[in-house]
Amino acid sequence: MKRRLYVFLLLALFASPILTAFLSNTSTVTYSIIERKVLSNAVSPFPRGPTVNMVTQDSAVIFWRTEDLTNATVRYGLNESVMEIVTNSTLDKDHYVSLNELNMDEKYYYRVISNGTTSPLYHFLTAPADGDEFKMIIIGDNRPSTTDPVQPAEFAQMAQMIVAEQPHIVIMSGDFVLDVSENHADNLLRWEHFTNISDSIGHYAPIYAVLGNHDTGAKTGSLRLEYYFDSFVLYDEPSTYYSFDYAGVHFTMLDSEQLGFEARIIGDQFTWLENDLETTSSEMKFVVIHRPLYPVIHIQDAYNDVPAAEREAVQALYEEHNVSLLITGHDHCFNRLTVNGIVQIISGGGGAPLYNHPTWKGGYYHYVRTNVSASHVNITAIKLDDSVGYNYQLPYTGPIEIEHRIIPSGSTNPVGTLPVILFSEVPAEKYFSWDSDENQTELTGLPNSNGEHTLDVYACNSDSVWSHESFMFIATGGPTTPTTTTTPTTTTPTTTPTGDGAIDPLILFGSLSIAGVVIVVVAVIWFRRKS
Ligand SMILES: [Fe+2]
């Protein structure tokens, strides 16, 4: 009997850390494996579309284009054979047919007919009830490279992957083509390459877009937005900023490309943004804009280069109205950064040439699968090989995250005399320490010598949980001007960027279990010898 007891205790001893590790690992895997059904992307006989647009809980707009003036019929229904018919007998080339009185959160099949030519059968999902979960795909920066005018193969591949995801809606964060020139025929060709692929997504899900810097003719001195508007069916056209509600989420779509005011949200658009965020009753608010508020690397024309007061005013507005998610592109990577509670993602890996981000820093082609409901947002970057590049869930409940961002030294608004430290939430208490010297409550001063220096940053959240990050800087500029010209050229966090300062409760449980089992074994042996 005693031998069985020892065997049991020994098994428990070995099993405990394994079980702990298993539980610990599985607790961090927050995405779910989705069974994929690859759909045949049926080719339309029409030069554009059909696409499904501006989908609500009970309506949708079907668009398609014909070569000649034709009538327009849409057959649609909840299965492939029983179909309602809507006909527009007015002859036209661009057809917009509204479907109304649809059921909420249903899959509808449809096909379009013009002068006897019939499209293949497509389908789309209507919006679920406010607060219920829906799937949103984000993809940005699919533009061609400067050496090849056709759309990247990576974008074409991800378009198919996105269709297979069967999303409710798709967000495209800008840079669809490589610039708009003064050559009309060339512009038509570039945008046709794009819409050939974007329509293959639009057959199945509504696309909502924002303007990227490469989608305009800014370099010609004129925006030439007609190609952009022609490629999408958006709310509030011809405004380049607009908003809409979907399943209880408020979407604010901004324009970072206003001629002469690039990357800036000022004037009429800022007033409109204030009013838009003020008047929505939605708790969940997403803002979409091409240029990020906090870029990763040498994007010198992003928000780093606008006057600091403007950037702070926009950040303050997002904080005041509890914006849930800021969706951006422009930097060709995937990145997530939280600043004072405002979660920003950069999704710029849609096919345009990648920059020099290492893979661990989001330097991969991807789209973002986002599952959204009133209670959570699950964000997953999906790579070309269908693997997960990154996963993050809202609400975030861990310790304060601390990050340092380099502002490019070549920027027109270059590095100041101090590094930029960003906290994921406003700390209840914080300290800074240069070279393990005394703690400062405000980050001031710089070490008065060239060479390697460390900056330790400590932050405490409202639950009294402390976080700690250590950053390394190389001070340069010569012994006579050591501090004012110091440029942080290297950032080497010596600890894991997230989770520092907090003990995983599962690991704690496992450790206590091991200790308990050891104590019991020792006690049993001691009692046995004693007896
Ligand atoms: Fe861009």
Side-chain angles (χ1 to χ4, degrees):
M1 188 65 188
K2 284 179 180 170
R3 183 175 294 167
R4 281 185 189 169
L5 178 64
Y6 293 148
V7 170
F8 172 76
L9 289 171
L10 281 171
L11 281 174
L13 182 66
F14 285 112
S16 180
I18 295 168
L19 182 64
T20 301
F22 174 75
L23 289 172
S24 181
N25 282 335
T26 51
S27 71
T28 61
V29 178
T30 48
Y31 55 90
S32 56
I33 303 296
I34 293 175
E35 190 181 337
R36 291 281 180 78
K37 181 181 153 196
V38 177
L39 304 171
S40 62
N41 205 357
V43 177
S44 168
F46 301 110
R48 283 291 314 279
T51 59
V52 59
N53 307 275
M54 299 192 285
V55 177
T56 70
Q57 290 163 341
D58 62 2
S59 68
V61 175
I62 306 295
F63 160 77
W64 73 103
R65 177 170 294 156
T66 47
E67 299 279 5
D68 304 310
L69 293 170
T70 71
N71 55 15
T73 296
V74 178
R75 296 173 68 94
Y76 68 100
L78 290 169
N79 60 55
E80 299 179 25
S81 55
V82 180
M83 291 200 155
E84 309 266 350
I85 297 175
V86 186
T87 296
N88 186 351
S89 53
T90 305
L91 300 181
D92 210 333
K93 290 184 179 179
D94 282 356
H95 309 282
Y96 300 88
V97 175
S98 295
L99 311 183
N100 297 303
E101 298 181 5
L102 305 178
N103 295 341
M104 191 162 56
D105 204 12
E106 289 276 15
K107 184 177 188 175
Y108 276 89
Y109 294 85
Y110 74 100
R111 64 172 83 245
V112 304
I113 304 153
S114 272
N115 271 9
T117 302
T118 304
S119 78
L121 190 70
Y122 301 113
H123 54 75
F124 65 94
L125 298 168
T126 50
D130 288 1
D132 282 1
E133 183 167 309
F134 65 90
K135 185 190 279 190
M136 173 176 77
I137 298 293
I138 302 162
I139 185 166
D141 296 78
N142 58 269
R143 68 164 174 82
S145 71
T146 52
T147 55
D148 189 351
V150 301
Q151 290 285 320
E154 291 85 356
F155 176 48
Q157 180 183 327
M158 284 191 280
Q160 291 208 351
M161 294 169 73
I162 290 169
V163 170
E165 291 266 6
Q166 301 198 48
H168 287 80
I169 66 172
V170 175
I171 300 292
M172 299 192 78
S173 59
D175 278 1
F176 312 113
V177 297
L178 185 65
D179 301 333
V180 177
S181 71
E182 291 171 333
N183 184 331
H184 177 62
D186 188 47
N187 293 335
L188 284 179
L189 199 61
R190 285 165 186 261
W191 283 92
E192 186 183 329
H193 281 144
F194 168 69
T195 53
N196 280 346
I197 298 174
S198 64
D199 280 2
S200 72
I201 301 171
H203 294 324
Y204 299 98
I207 297 174
Y208 302 99
V210 292
L211 197 58
N213 53 299
H214 286 290
D215 305 322
T216 75
K219 290 175 184 170
T220 69
S222 173
L223 285 174
R224 302 174 194 274
L225 297 180
E226 58 270 33
Y227 308 99
Y228 166 74
F229 286 126
D230 187 63
S231 300
F232 301 99
V233 180
L234 302 173
Y235 291 100
D236 298 339
E237 288 188 17
S239 174
T240 47
Y241 47 93
Y242 60 99
S243 62
F244 64 97
D245 293 293
Y246 187 92
V249 178
H250 186 69
F251 287 81
T252 304
M253 315 293 280
L254 296 178
D255 173 10
S256 58
E257 310 308 323
Q258 301 211 324
L259 201 57
F261 302 97
E262 288 82 1
R264 301 167 72 177
I265 305 298
I266 55 173
D268 289 348
Q269 187 175 198
F270 188 87
T271 305
W272 177 88
L273 175 60
E274 275 183 310
N275 184 60
D276 182 71
L277 294 176
E278 183 77 43
T279 52
T280 178
S281 58
S282 298
E283 289 287 314
M284 192 76 83
K285 304 177 193 75
F286 293 171
V287 173
V288 185
I289 184 168
H290 179 63
R291 305 198 199 205
L293 205 52
Y294 302 94
V296 176
I297 60 164
H298 289 258
I299 305 296
Q300 296 173 12
D301 52 355
Y303 244 67
N304 279 341
D305 271 349
V306 308
E310 284 183 19
R311 186 174 69 243
E312 287 161 10
V314 174
Q315 169 76 25
L317 194 61
Y318 294 160
E319 289 178 30
E320 180 187 347
H321 295 288
N322 295 316
V323 166
S324 319
L325 186 61
L326 176 59
I327 299 166
T328 71
H330 195 48
D331 212 346
H332 296 175
C333 64
F334 178 84
N335 182 262
R336 193 272 314 166
L337 175 72
T338 310
V339 178
N340 287 1
I342 302 302
V343 180
Q344 172 196 272
I345 63 168
I346 299 174
S347 179
L354 296 171
Y355 298 149
N356 294 320
H357 305 79
T359 301
W360 63 268
K361 217 172 178 180
Y364 44 77
Y365 293 115
H366 70 277
Y367 63 88
V368 182
R369 177 196 302 143
T370 315
N371 294 92
V372 182
S373 77
S375 62
H376 72 271
V377 184
N378 192 340
I379 298 163
T380 309
I382 305 293
K383 295 182 180 180
L384 276 176
D385 64 0
D386 207 27
S387 65
V388 171
Y390 186 85
N391 177 258
Y392 185 75
Q393 281 207 80
L394 294 173
Y396 170 75
T397 54
I400 289 179
E401 298 170 311
I402 304 168
E403 183 148 343
H404 164 243
R405 280 283 161 114
I406 296 174
I407 297 178
S409 58
S411 167
T412 55
N413 184 27
V415 177
T417 53
L418 289 170
V420 176
I421 303 296
L422 302 168
F423 297 99
S424 63
E425 63 181 82
V426 180
E429 211 176 336
K430 64 180 186 297
Y431 297 101
F432 306 92
S433 170
W434 280 108
D435 297 330
S436 303
D437 208 344
E438 282 184 23
N439 287 336
Q440 308 169 345
T441 52
E442 295 295 330
L443 181 56
T444 55
L446 284 168
N448 193 29
S449 64
N450 286 339
E452 194 175 291
H453 297 283
T454 57
L455 172 64
D456 286 282
V457 184
Y458 304 86
C460 175
N461 70 10
S462 55
D463 293 329
S464 300
V465 177
W466 282 92
S467 302
H468 168 218
E469 281 291 344
S470 187
F471 302 100
M472 188 184 78
F473 297 92
I474 308 293
T476 59
T480 55
T481 55
T483 58
T484 54
T485 57
T486 297
T487 299
T489 53
T490 307
T491 304
T492 310
T494 57
T495 51
T496 310
T498 57
D500 272 359
I503 299 174
D504 187 327
L506 287 168
I507 292 173
L508 184 62
F509 168 77
S511 304
L512 291 173
S513 303
I514 294 167
V517 169
V518 169
I519 289 168
V520 170
V521 169
V522 170
V524 168
I525 293 171
W526 186 77
F527 273 118
R528 189 166 178 264
R529 286 190 177 162
K530 204 75 170 144
S531 59

